[in-house]
Amino acid sequence: MSEISTGEAEERRNFATIVDVRETAETATGMIPGALHIPLGQLGDRIGEIDPGRPVITVCASGNRSARAADDLRVAGLRADTMAGGMSAWTAEGRPVDQS
């Protein structure tokens, strides 16, 4: 598994696709601006929504589900990393968040 820091994710977010795999209720606390919301349980059915020509950064609340999602995306042939610490770390560091 390839894990990147929140700082690396912020640097890459303009050229990568950020996929937030949290459940809908969890995203009410905010998402990384520009992130695509696909709950982990729907990832297999909705993988076609992800541009295969762009690297992917998966995000969840703390990093566990996003690690599984990144593994699944790599198996499907995409370039995917997971963000260490998830949205808990992102918001704790005061990084930008879009409220839903």
Side-chain angles (χ1 to χ4, degrees):
M1 173 186 65
S2 181
E3 186 175 71
I4 63 172
S5 70
T6 54
E8 289 172 298
E10 187 163 23
E11 289 172 8
R12 296 180 189 182
R13 70 186 178 106
N14 291 326
F15 65 86
T17 300
I18 297 179
V19 178
D20 191 323
V21 298
R22 296 176 295 160
E23 295 301 317
T24 300
E26 294 174 283
T27 63
T29 60
M31 291 177 43
I32 295 172
L36 174 63
H37 178 230
I38 303 177
L40 182 60
Q42 298 175 17
L43 189 60
D45 293 334
R46 295 179 57 192
I47 199 165
E49 296 176 35
I50 302 170
D51 181 349
R54 293 176 58 142
V56 177
I57 301 168
T58 58
V59 177
C60 67
S62 64
N64 294 324
R65 285 173 287 177
S66 62
R68 286 194 313 239
D71 287 342
D72 290 348
L73 292 173
R74 280 192 295 277
V75 167
L78 289 111
R79 295 171 290 155
D81 296 312
T82 184
M83 185 179 77
M87 287 302 292
S88 297
W90 182 272
T91 55
E93 294 169 8
R95 298 191 186 278
V97 175
D98 278 346
Q99 297 298 322
S100 28

